[in-house]
């Protein structure tokens, strides 16, 4: 994160304050000084305000800890034409994310201390939110030999993954999980059995059949999750299941937790809110025939968008805590990677700037509470990353002032041309979302301020 220059103290007056970690949900004032939370919930009188305090009117707004994303792609180094740490962190700030964990499918891959140090240095120079690298499980993400996991841990990675490709070799995955127990860092696997997914480009089902596209069965995800759970049980290692997308995967994770296996799981906003029918075009789930808007490559993502049956299971599992957290899997691409045939298009959706707005749909439909949603975006990922992240997921006095201020009822239209991210690839273009971030603060510094925010300086 770029070096913080301490601003004047900030007082957010009269907002609803939700701190999921402390079970706090009150209307009150939030006072920030010297980059830390000074007070949260108490009413601050004018005479008690620090000198040169900036006052933000928080009426109708909700304040909570900044969101933590433990799965995103910042593309740097190697693919700066798709995204950079600078643009990716700016996009994160607009979406309310104050902490990002970036995946290692870069060039070179994050498989040695030098690349870790490069990312940390670049984030300090150019980033506006906190960035933590995730290290490779195998050297070069090639699946042939384990990376120097202890070296990577010492350099500062917060987890291990070969995301984009699975750790295919059973014994390598077993060894990685065994080492994870000693290092205290989770292994996050991209669960995809290639012999089942083959040339598939979207979820297997009636939509793929109607479009004449090769499908990816749910078993491609579920069989590898089952293998990983078995290996986690054998080794006692820390397994984190990335981007859950099927009803069957939910069942596997639920059963593993019931058996006491150290397994956690994440789900992405797009797998909670849209289905494979969006590939038919028109952004309308009632469309059931191909038309001129079909084969929308912005809907091509891995894991693929699934059926409404799967979406309902994922939402229910998130609400009940079977799924521990929400992660974006932000995957920005250049225009050329998506303006091709569906089969040739790259997998991925640019998510950071639309994640919160799309997730608020679940709140407005009474499918999940606002406090639970905030918990899954803050405390949930912090618990997976470990105790060092606890202070970044709360508004407890004395902790870093990483927070987001949002309007839960604000309608806005998604316009990718306005994205800070280089990746404009989103199926949500033109849709109206309800719920928008109006300000994001990192260590007490405003790193994003929307036009909706009304300020008064006293």
């Amino acid at each position: 994160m770029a070096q913080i220059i301490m601003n004047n103290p900030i007082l957010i007056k009269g907002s609803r304050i939700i701190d999921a970690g402390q079970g706090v949900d009150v209307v009150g004032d939030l006072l920030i000084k010297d980059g830390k939370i000074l007070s949260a919930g108490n009413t601050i009188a004018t005479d008690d305000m620090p000198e040169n305090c900036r006052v933000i009117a928080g009426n109708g707004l909700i304040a909570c800890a900044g969101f933590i994303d433990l799965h995103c792609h910042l593309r740097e180094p190697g693919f700066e034409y798709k995204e950079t740490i600078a643009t990716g962190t700016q996009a994160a700030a607009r979406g309310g994310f104050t902490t990002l964990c970036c995946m290692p499918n870069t060039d070179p891959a994050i498989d040695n201390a030098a690349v870790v140090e490069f990312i940390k240095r670049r984030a300090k120079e150019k980033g506006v939110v906190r960035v933590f690298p995730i290290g490779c499980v195998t050297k070069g993400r090639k699946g042939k030999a384990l990376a120097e996991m202890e070296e990577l841990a010492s350099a500062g990675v917060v987890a291990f993954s070969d995301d984009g490709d699975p750790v295919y070799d059973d014994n390598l995955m077993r060894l990685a999980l065994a080492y994870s127990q000693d290092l205290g860092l989770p292994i996050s696997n991209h669960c995809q059995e290639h012999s089942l997914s083959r040339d598939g480009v979207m979820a297997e089902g009636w939509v793929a059949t109607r479009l004449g596209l090769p499908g990816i069965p749910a078993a491609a995800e579920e069989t590898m999750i089952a293998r990983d759970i078995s290996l986690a049980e054998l080794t006692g290692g820390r397994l984190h299941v990335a981007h859950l997308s099927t009803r069957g995967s939910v069942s596997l994770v639920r059963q593993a937790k019931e058996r006491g296996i150290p397994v956690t799981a994440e789900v992405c906003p797009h797998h909670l809110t849209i289905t494979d029918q969006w590939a038919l075009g028109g952004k309308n789930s009632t469309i059931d025939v191909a038309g001129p808007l079909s084969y929308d490559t912005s809907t091509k993502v891995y894991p693929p968008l699934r059926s409404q049956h799967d979406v309902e299971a994922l939402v229910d599992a998130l609400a009940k805590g079977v799924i521990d957290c929400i992660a974006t899997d932000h995957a920005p691409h250049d225009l050329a990677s998506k303006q091709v045939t569906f089969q040739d298009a790259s997998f991925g959706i640019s998510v950071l700037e639309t994640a919160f707005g799309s997730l608020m749909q679940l709140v407005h439909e009474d499918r999940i509470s606002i406090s639970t949603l905030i918990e899954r975006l803050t405390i949930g990922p912090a618990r997976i990353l470990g105790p060092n992240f606890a202070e970044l997921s709360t508004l407890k006095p004395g902790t870093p002032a990483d927070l987001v201020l949002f309007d839960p009822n604000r309608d806005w239209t998604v316009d990718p041309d306005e994205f800070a991210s280089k990746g404009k690839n989103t199926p949500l273009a033109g849709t109206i979302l309800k719920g928008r971030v109006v300000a994001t603060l990192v260590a007490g510094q405003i790193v994003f301020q929307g036009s909706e925010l009304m300020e008064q300086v006293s």
Side-chain angles (χ1 to χ4, degrees), residues 40 44 73 167 188 221 267 290 319 376:
I44 306 298
H73 301 270
V167 179
S188 176
E221 175 176 310
V267 64
R376 302 294 188 262

Side-chain angles (χ1 to χ4, degrees), residues 202 206-207 211 270 273-289 293-300 305-308 311 342 349 358 361 414 426-433:
M202 66 174 300
W206 70 266
V207 178
L211 291 174
H270 40 282
T273 56
I274 61 179
T275 71
D276 56 349
Q277 283 185 256
W278 280 52
L280 288 167
K283 301 175 175 57
N284 188 337
S285 62
T286 62
I287 294 176
D288 59 5
V289 294
L293 299 178
S294 296
Y295 304 96
D296 180 1
T297 58
S298 69
T299 66
K300 184 179 179 182
L305 300 175
R306 302 285 185 182
S307 70
Q308 187 63 38
V311 169
F342 203 95
I349 296 174
S358 64
Q361 171 188 332
V414 177
T426 173
L428 297 176
T431 61
I432 298 174
L433 303 180

Side-chain angles (χ1 to χ4, degrees), residues 17-329:
I17 300 169
I18 300 179
D19 188 336
Q22 298 189 91
V24 172
D25 188 344
V26 298
V27 175
D29 298 346
L30 192 61
L31 182 59
I32 299 160
K33 185 179 180 182
D34 298 330
K36 295 187 180 295
I37 303 293
L38 195 62
S39 174
N42 298 323
T43 300
I44 306 298
T46 302
D47 292 342
D48 295 330
M49 290 193 304
E51 188 177 353
N52 299 319
C53 187
R54 303 175 68 187
V55 179
I56 297 175
N59 305 73
L61 304 179
I62 295 177
C64 68
F67 308 145
I68 298 173
D69 186 8
L70 51 70
H71 186 152
C72 73
H73 301 270
L74 296 182
R75 304 301 191 199
E76 188 176 4
F79 304 100
E80 288 84 354
Y81 62 97
K82 293 176 182 281
E83 191 77 286
T84 64
I85 289 172
T87 58
T89 58
Q90 289 164 15
R94 291 188 178 200
F97 291 90
T98 55
T99 297
L100 300 179
C101 301
C102 57
M103 283 294 173
N105 54 340
T106 51
D107 186 17
I110 309 176
D111 66 354
N112 62 77
V115 183
V116 175
E117 290 301 323
F118 168 83
I119 291 171
K120 291 166 64 177
R121 183 175 67 254
R122 183 71 74 177
K124 184 177 181 180
E125 295 169 349
K126 302 292 185 181
V128 297
V129 305
R130 304 178 194 272
V131 175
F132 296 91
I134 292 176
C136 293
V137 176
T138 66
K139 293 180 180 179
R141 298 176 49 254
K142 295 181 179 179
K144 301 296 183 182
L146 283 182
E148 298 295 337
M149 295 175 66
E150 187 169 353
E151 173 191 324
L152 289 167
S154 297
V157 303
V158 294
F160 298 97
S161 180
D162 277 359
D163 191 66
D165 289 301
V167 179
Y168 214 82
D169 185 283
D170 298 343
N171 193 51
L172 284 178
M173 189 61 179
R174 175 184 179 178
L175 290 171
L177 285 165
Y179 289 141
S180 76
Q181 189 176 31
D182 294 331
L183 296 172
L185 301 176
I187 306 295
S188 176
N189 196 19
H190 174 102
C191 291
Q192 179 181 7
E193 174 53 65
H194 286 307
S195 64
L196 290 170
S197 61
R198 293 182 177 271
D199 298 323
V201 293
M202 66 174 300
E204 186 176 86
W206 70 266
V207 178
T209 300
R210 194 148 298 179
L211 291 174
L213 295 172
I216 301 170
E221 175 176 310
E222 295 161 4
T223 54
M224 188 158 284
I225 290 177
R227 180 207 71 169
D228 289 350
I229 288 172
S230 178
L231 293 174
E233 186 173 28
L234 174 67
T235 61
R238 293 183 56 196
L239 173 66
H240 178 68
V241 182
H243 41 50
L244 224 65
S245 74
T246 78
R247 179 176 288 266
S249 295
V250 168
S251 296
L252 289 166
V253 171
R254 179 186 294 110
Q255 293 164 16
K257 289 189 171 189
E258 289 171 351
R259 299 206 309 271
I261 302 172
V263 175
T264 55
E266 70 188 34
V267 64
C268 302
H270 40 282
H271 290 126
L272 292 166
T273 56
I274 61 179
T275 71
D276 56 349
Q277 283 185 256
W278 280 52
L280 288 167
K283 301 175 175 57
N284 188 337
S285 62
T286 62
I287 294 176
D288 59 5
V289 294
L293 299 178
S294 296
Y295 304 96
D296 180 1
T297 58
S298 69
T299 66
K300 184 179 179 182
V301 63
Y302 196 90
L305 300 175
R306 302 285 185 182
S307 70
Q308 187 63 38
H309 184 67
D310 294 299
V311 169
E312 290 171 359
L314 293 168
V315 173
D316 181 68
L318 182 70
K320 293 178 178 177
V322 175
I323 297 175
D324 301 85
C325 69
I326 297 167
T328 68
D329 195 12

